[in-house]
Amino acid sequence: MERHDGLDTNGLVAGLLRELAAVQTSTQKRWGYKRAADAILALDSPLESYVRADGTVRKIANVGPSSERIILEVVRTGSSATVAEAVGLSGVDADGDRRRAHFLSGAQVAAALADDTLDGPSLDDYRGDLQMHSTWSDGTVSVAEMARACRSRGYEFCAITDHSYGLPIAHGVSMADLARQHREIEVVNRRYRGRFRVLKGIEANILGDGRLDMKPDELARVELVVASPHSGLRVEADQTARMVTAVSTPGVHILGHPRGRQIGSRPGIRANWKKVFERAARTGVAIEIDGDPRRQDIDYRLAEQARAAGCFFALDSDAHAPDELGFAEVAVAHARLAGLPMSRVVNCWPLDRLLEWMHLRSIWSDR
Ligand SMILES: [Zn+2]
C-alpha cells in the first residue's frame, strides 16, 4: 500500500508505534513499542504478507501482542483508531503526518537500491561514511573497531565524528580528549599504510542562534566538521535564520541531520529550506542525508529541493555501533529516489578530491 506521503504500511505502523510509545507512562511499555517500531521499520517485506488468512499475525521478533493489534488495524483499515485515541487522550498534538512523512521502510530501501531505472548513486559508488561515533562520546566501540568495520564494508575512508563538548547528554568529547583521540587515529592510519584513511571529525552542536558550541580555533584542529542541531527540535516558530547562520559558519563541512526529526516522536525544525539550501550551495557546505532509520533526515523529497538549489550532499549512517553502519544504505536509497548526481555526493568522491574540498571549506571565510 503506497500512500500520498510516500509511506508504505510498514512505515506507517512504525510511526504510529513510536507515537504510542511517546504517550506511555510506563518506561517498560515505552521501550516495548519503540523496539517494535524499529523491528517493523527494518523488515524487508510488507506487513501485509505477515497477516494470515485467519486474521492472526505471523511472529515478528521484538513485536508483542499489543503492537500486533495495531498492525491488524492498519492492514485492515489504513489507520489506527487505538493510536488516535491514545494520542488524543494524552493531549499531545495530533500532527502525526508531519512526523512520519517520507520515511522509507526497509522494504522500500531495498527496492530503491535494486531499481536500476533510478539515477542516483549506487552502493558500489559509495566510498566512505562521514558521520559515526566511537566510545570517545556515545558510541559503543573504539576508533580502531569502527575503522575495521568500515574497511570490511569495502570503504576507502571514514570520519569519526564524536559529539563535541557542548553536548554533555551525549558524553561530548573535551578538547583534551579530542587531542588524545587524534593520536589514536594517527596510530590506526599508520597501520593501514594508505589503504584506508580515518578522518578526524567532530559533530559540533548548533546553538539556538545558529553559532556552534566550539570556537573557531577549536574547529581548526579537526579535519571534518559536521554541524547538527540537537535542541529546539519541537519549536513551532520558523528557524531559517538559525540554519542559514550554521551553513555560513567558517569551518563547517556538513549540515548534519538538518531538521533533527525523529519518526513518530518529533517533526523537527521548521525553516524555509530553500533559503538554507541556496546559502549552503553558495558556501559549499554539504547537506546530510542521515540514514538512521528513525531520522532519515533530510528525506528524498527535501533532497530534491537541495539538488535544485545546487547543493553538495553527504550520505551518512550516523552509526553508534558497527552494525549500524548499514544505515548508510538508507541514505543512499533516499539519494537515488531524489536522483542526486554522483558528482554532488561527497562520499562518492576519490579521497584526494574529498580532502581538497575539506581544506577549501576549512579556510573559507565570508569576508
Ligand atoms: Zn546528532
Side-chain angles (χ1 to χ4, degrees), residues 67-250:
S67 300
E68 285 178 359
R69 265 207 308 279
I70 310 294
I71 294 174
L72 283 174
E73 258 185 325
V74 175
V75 168
R76 286 197 192 118
T77 69
S79 62
S80 167
T82 308
V83 176
E85 195 185 348
V87 173
L89 286 177
S90 76
V92 171
D93 85 299
D95 187 16
D97 285 348
R98 228 180 105 223
R99 291 191 296 267
R100 291 191 297 262
H102 313 303
F103 273 94
L104 299 178
S105 68
Q108 288 171 310
V109 168
L113 294 176
D115 184 348
D116 53 19
T117 65
L118 295 173
D119 273 341
S122 73
L123 289 181
D124 287 343
D125 303 319
Y126 189 83
R127 295 170 188 252
D129 190 342
L130 299 175
Q131 195 197 161
M132 68 191 66
H133 301 261
S134 74
T135 43
W136 286 98
S137 66
D138 56 352
T140 60
V141 304
S142 67
V143 167
E145 284 172 84
M146 277 316 246
R148 191 179 316 132
C150 285
R151 261 283 272 178
S152 67
R153 292 181 62 83
Y155 298 168
E156 296 164 33
F157 52 82
C158 74
I160 299 289
T161 55
D162 279 306
H163 290 283
S164 55
Y165 58 78
L167 204 63
I169 194 173
H171 308 286
V173 59
S174 69
M175 289 311 292
D177 275 348
L178 201 60
R180 288 184 198 103
Q181 184 200 60
H182 287 177
R183 287 199 290 277
E184 194 175 304
I185 289 175
E186 283 155 20
V187 169
V188 171
N189 278 337
R190 269 200 296 278
R191 222 180 295 144
Y192 284 116
R193 301 165 195 267
R195 294 189 306 269
F196 184 81
R197 168 81 174 264
V198 180
L199 302 167
K200 298 167 183 164
I202 194 84
E203 184 181 8
N205 188 30
I206 301 175
L207 304 174
D209 62 3
R211 288 179 308 132
L212 302 187
D213 63 346
M214 292 171 70
K215 301 188 207 79
D217 67 299
E218 294 170 341
L219 293 177
R221 281 181 239 169
V222 296
E223 291 177 293
L224 183 93
V225 177
V226 180
S228 318
H230 297 98
S231 61
L233 309 178
R234 296 171 195 271
V235 172
E236 285 296 309
D238 177 275
Q239 301 191 58
T240 307
R242 178 190 187 193
M243 302 318 279
V244 165
T245 300
V247 297
S248 305
T249 303

Side-chain angles (χ1 to χ4, degrees), residues 269-329:
I269 288 171
R270 281 182 195 266
N272 179 339
W273 290 106
K274 186 164 179 278
K275 271 195 185 159
V276 177
F277 296 152
E278 282 168 358
R279 182 66 187 155
R282 282 238 301 285
T283 58
V285 168
I287 302 298
E288 185 180 70
I289 299 181
D290 186 310
D292 182 322
R294 292 152 294 194
R295 291 186 178 275
Q296 308 195 28
D297 186 13
I298 57 178
D299 59 65
Y300 60 94
R301 210 27 93 61
L302 211 45
E304 284 168 2
Q305 274 187 45
R307 185 195 63 190
C311 292
F312 290 136
F313 294 89
L315 315 180
D316 302 326
S317 68
D318 196 356
H320 287 67
D323 65 354
E324 292 179 355
L325 288 167
F327 292 170
E329 294 171 20

